[in-house]
Amino acid sequence: MIAEDLFDLAPVIPVVVLDDAEAAVPLARALVEGGLPVIEVTLRTPSALAAIARIAAEVPDAVVGAGTVVRPEDAERSAAAGARFLVSPGCTSRLQAAMVATGLPFLPGVATASEAIALLEGGITAMKFFPAEAAGGAAYLKALGGPLPQIRFCPTGGIGLGNAAEYLALGNVGCVGGSWLTPADAVREGDWDRVRKLASEAAALRTG
């Protein structure tokens, strides 16, 4: 699998924050059943790596990855836990080298044309655009499509059901990422039916 393949699996990548690894498997199953097999577990909690390992081992239909990869050791530990892709909010040459070394597909984060061009010089054409809304939104991404048509993005940050379609309509957007699919109260209460319903609504966003 290459990074571009992630764009074809689902229109939305759920961005998941888990405080309890015990919730990882039922949460992942609900997302997959709702039509969203690609799941990004962020490395923002002590439970994240254990959650990735549980999903990788127990939910074979899920394509689980690690997000908020900001240090070389994050990439290494995520790969060891069973992550199948990596996502970073930004990128440095050292972090890029570490992600490449894992052999996993990855979406390095950019917020400007210069950052995108720097990655393009290294042959990278699939990127995360973050923070999407704060950095200029869909209008900004549409503008980037003119001079940089070879790049496809996964915008994340400030995206929800109400504006996801606007991004997905752009030719240079492969998918979007969002945390609205796994509300903290639903995860805390184990309301997997609600998560499944939100995933189903998001899966229906794919057009064309």
Side-chain angles (χ1 to χ4, degrees):
M1 183 172 67
I2 60 174
E4 283 81 356
D5 292 337
L6 295 170
F7 296 151
D8 298 325
L9 295 177
V12 182
I13 297 178
V15 178
V16 178
V17 180
L18 282 171
D19 292 307
D20 182 2
E22 291 297 318
V25 168
L27 174 66
R29 285 177 176 154
L31 290 170
V32 171
E33 289 165 3
L36 300 180
V38 184
I39 302 168
E40 174 190 336
V41 177
T42 68
L43 302 182
R44 301 179 191 175
T45 68
S47 300
L49 290 173
I52 290 170
R54 291 283 297 270
I55 295 170
E58 301 180 45
V59 192
D61 291 333
V63 180
V64 64
T68 322
V69 174
V70 297
R71 302 172 299 172
E73 55 264 38
D74 291 338
E76 297 158 6
R77 292 170 182 167
S78 297
R84 293 176 60 184
F85 66 93
L86 306 171
V87 183
S88 67
C91 198
T92 65
S93 57
R94 187 163 169 255
L95 180 59
Q96 180 179 335
M99 291 193 287
V100 169
T102 66
L104 297 174
F106 61 95
L107 296 173
V110 300
T112 68
S114 293
E115 292 169 347
I117 291 169
L119 289 169
L120 188 61
E121 287 177 349
I124 296 172
T125 57
M127 306 175 193
K128 171 177 176 171
F129 178 59
F130 176 83
E133 282 290 282
Y140 185 93
L141 273 182
K142 183 177 181 180
L144 283 183
L148 301 171
Q150 62 275 71
I151 300 176
R152 293 180 77 199
F153 296 95
C154 173
T156 303
I159 297 176
L161 187 62
N163 62 354
E166 181 182 6
Y167 284 91
L168 290 168
L170 300 177
N172 60 345
V173 168
C175 65
V176 300
S179 58
W180 85 89
L181 301 145
T182 55
D185 59 336
V187 176
R188 185 172 57 251
E189 296 163 11
D191 189 351
W192 309 129
D193 285 339
R194 181 179 171 196
V195 172
R196 191 177 298 107
K197 180 177 182 294
L198 290 169
S200 180
E201 291 175 345
L205 289 169
R206 176 71 82 195
T207 58

